[in-house]
Amino acid sequence: MEVKSSIGALQRKSFLGTGSIGGIHLPDFNDKYFFSKKKSGISDGEYKRQIREQAYKDFAKGQFQNKSEGFNRLMKSYTSEVSPDRKGIITSGLNAVLWNRKKVQKPIDLFATLLEGKVKYQKLPSGNSEYMEFFDKNGEIVASYSNNGWTMYTTNAEAARQTEMCRIYNAAWGNAKRGIPLESEEAAGMECPQNSFEARA
C-alpha cells in the first residue's frame, strides 16, 4: 500500500472472480486495501486505544504496520469511517456506462452524474480499451479503470486519517520498544511526532 497526500494510488491490479458489470470485472471490495464508507459506531477514543494496543501486540511479535494483519484490519476499519462510498460509486458508475452503451451504440465520451459522485468514461479508439474515472461528491477521484485493471486513489480525508493512525501507532510501537508499559503509555498519552507513513503491498 502506498499513501500519498491527495491522489495516491492504493492498489493497481486486475481481478478475476469478483463479478462484473458490462464485462468489466469489479475490484475486490473485500481487499484489505479497498476502503469504502462504513460507520462502525466506534468512538475515536476507542480507536486510539485499539491502535495503541495493536502496536504493542505487533512489537511483541516483531511486526510493524502492514506486516501485521491486525494493523491492516484496523487501518481498513479506521479509514473507512471517512471514506466515500467507493463501492457504490463504482457499481453505479459501471451501470451508468452500461446503460449508455446500450442506448448509444458507438464510442462515447461522457460525464455521468451519480448519486454519490461522477464517472468519466471514454472508449479509446484502439480495440476494446476503455478508460473510466470515478469521482466522489467532493470532486476527488476515488478510482480509475483502464487496460482491465483498477487503481484506487486516497482522498484527502482518508490520507489524513491514515496519517493520524500511523502517528499514534508509531508512537506506541516506539514506547513498546523502549519498554514503557502500555498502561503508562496510554495514561500519559505519549505520542512522538512521527507524521510520515508509507507502506507498500
Side-chain angles (χ1 to χ4, degrees), residues 38-138:
K38 186 176 182 183
K39 297 294 184 186
S40 67
I42 299 173
S43 70
D44 280 352
E46 175 60 18
Y47 265 126
K48 288 175 183 177
R49 186 189 65 74
Q50 289 180 19
I51 293 165
R52 288 184 181 106
E53 283 182 359
Q54 188 63 53
Y56 273 73
K57 286 178 193 173
D58 291 347
F59 174 77
K61 292 178 184 175
Q63 298 176 333
F64 184 71
Q65 286 193 4
N66 69 336
K67 300 296 181 193
S68 158
E69 285 305 311
F71 174 88
N72 291 330
R73 279 192 303 274
L74 195 52
M75 176 64 82
K76 182 165 185 165
S77 177
Y78 191 66
T79 303
S80 294
E81 297 279 354
V82 298
S83 294
D85 181 11
R86 197 172 265 108
K87 180 179 179 180
I89 292 168
I90 289 170
T91 54
S92 61
L94 288 176
N95 281 319
V97 168
L98 177 61
W99 179 83
N100 212 22
R101 273 191 197 148
K102 289 178 180 176
K103 188 177 172 189
V104 183
Q105 294 297 322
K106 63 180 181 178
I108 55 173
D109 197 350
L110 93 107
F111 215 117
T113 301
L114 310 169
L115 181 63
E116 283 285 323
K118 296 180 179 179
V119 58
K120 183 178 180 183
Y121 168 73
Q122 184 176 16
K123 182 138 178 131
L124 302 175
S126 59
N128 291 323
S129 60
E130 296 173 275
Y131 180 74
M132 288 176 242
E133 291 178 336
F134 301 82
F135 298 86
D136 68 10
K137 62 186 175 185
N138 299 320

